[in-house]
Amino acid sequence: MARPLPESNLSERLAQAEKILGHQFSNPTLLETALRHPSAASEDSSQPSYDRLEFLGDAVLGMVVSRLIYDRFPRMDEGGMTRIKVSLVAGQQLSEVAKGLGFGELISFGSSERGTGNRGLTSALEDIYEACIAALTLDGGLEVATAFIERTLAPLIQESMAAEPTNPKSTLQEILQVRHITPTYEVIDTEGPPHSRTFTVTVLADGEVIGQGSGRSKKDAEAAAALSALKKRRR
């Protein structure tokens, strides 16, 4: 797990974040807010968390990714484009991208979250990615935010994502029912505060774990677990 820099090193954290984002902020407060976890904001009501920025960033991300997919696959139908988008902006995917970029070391956590060993780091990384997109949009404009998304997320777009089932749980159940097996789902971990949780779920067939996935809701996590199981069957 990444070890966050000391809170006193704010200028260093902001400089590292600007390097990751490829943009020097004219309003550094935006970036500082984008890196502030709700647990830190709860200790100082004058300092907002990234929640509002995350809201805006999610919308910008969806628009930019939709346009990238639309332009890249001019003959693909709506269903295929939707499946690619869902795969690309899934919470686990964004968390892994943010982690790979080095954001795990830059998040400003409150003492309550640090005391848990940063159990909410996975969901926080997803939130940070979206909040930083919003900060880039507000400080540098949509073109700057788009450039960041194109550099960090667009390379992961694959046409094969369009072939994934719209409802992986139903697809998996249909496959297993041929063997008279009904898949079951179990929550094995829950990370983050009540307002921003990430669930990890395993799917079992005849008592054996055949897939695992994470999501911001139990429903999303179960779908991710089912999709994981389906991918393993194709290998």
Side-chain angles (χ1 to χ4, degrees):
M1 179 179 295
R3 184 182 300 276
L5 293 172
E7 295 301 316
S8 58
N9 293 346
L10 176 60
S11 60
E12 183 180 348
R13 289 192 298 115
L14 294 182
Q16 288 193 28
E18 286 184 330
K19 185 176 181 180
I20 292 171
L21 295 168
H23 175 73
Q24 186 171 0
F25 280 72
S26 59
N27 181 5
T29 300
L30 279 171
L31 181 55
E32 184 180 350
T33 301
L35 298 174
R36 186 178 298 116
H37 190 266
S39 62
S42 67
E43 297 175 356
D44 183 353
S45 59
S46 67
Q47 302 293 326
S49 74
Y50 53 57
D51 282 346
R52 281 173 53 83
L53 287 174
E54 178 199 351
F55 171 80
L56 175 60
D58 176 71
V60 174
L61 176 63
M63 179 187 67
V64 172
V65 166
S66 295
R67 178 61 187 270
L68 288 172
I69 297 169
Y70 182 86
D71 289 343
R72 187 171 298 188
F73 305 109
R75 297 182 179 277
M76 186 173 290
D77 62 21
E78 179 188 2
M81 291 191 294
T82 297
R83 287 189 288 275
I84 293 178
K85 178 183 177 182
V86 169
S87 297
L88 199 64
V89 301
Q92 189 68 27
Q93 180 79 279
L94 297 183
S95 294
E96 291 176 359
V97 170
K99 181 179 179 180
L101 290 170
F103 277 117
E105 302 175 1
L106 308 180
I107 305 172
S108 178
F109 285 109
S111 57
S112 61
E113 182 64 26
R114 289 195 298 270
T116 67
N118 292 345
R119 286 184 306 181
L121 182 61
T122 298
S123 60
L125 284 167
E126 174 192 352
D127 298 339
I128 289 290
Y129 186 87
E130 294 176 337
C132 283
I133 288 173
L136 286 171
T137 303
L138 294 173
D139 193 80
L142 183 59
E143 289 186 2
V144 174
T146 298
F148 172 69
I149 296 170
E150 289 180 338
R151 173 167 58 87
T152 60
L153 202 59
L156 302 177
I157 297 176
Q158 299 180 30
E159 188 172 6
S160 60
M161 293 176 174
E164 303 295 358
T166 302
N167 191 333
K169 288 183 64 177
S170 294
T171 302
L172 180 63
Q173 183 165 333
E174 291 173 3
I175 292 172
L176 293 177
Q177 279 183 341
V178 175
R179 297 159 50 196
H180 305 288
I181 296 174
T182 299
T184 58
Y185 297 84
E186 293 182 1
V187 177
I188 62 170
D189 191 28
T190 304
E191 292 184 344
H195 71 279
S196 183
R197 282 183 172 164
T198 295
F199 298 89
T200 299
V201 169
T202 56
V203 56
L204 300 90
D206 203 20
E208 179 184 357
V209 175
I210 59 173
Q212 179 175 313
S214 299
R216 297 298 292 274
S217 68
K218 292 180 181 178
K219 181 179 179 180
D220 288 345
E222 289 176 354
L227 187 58
S228 171
L230 290 171
K231 288 180 177 178
K232 289 180 180 178
R233 291 180 59 87
R234 298 173 188 163
R235 293 175 185 170

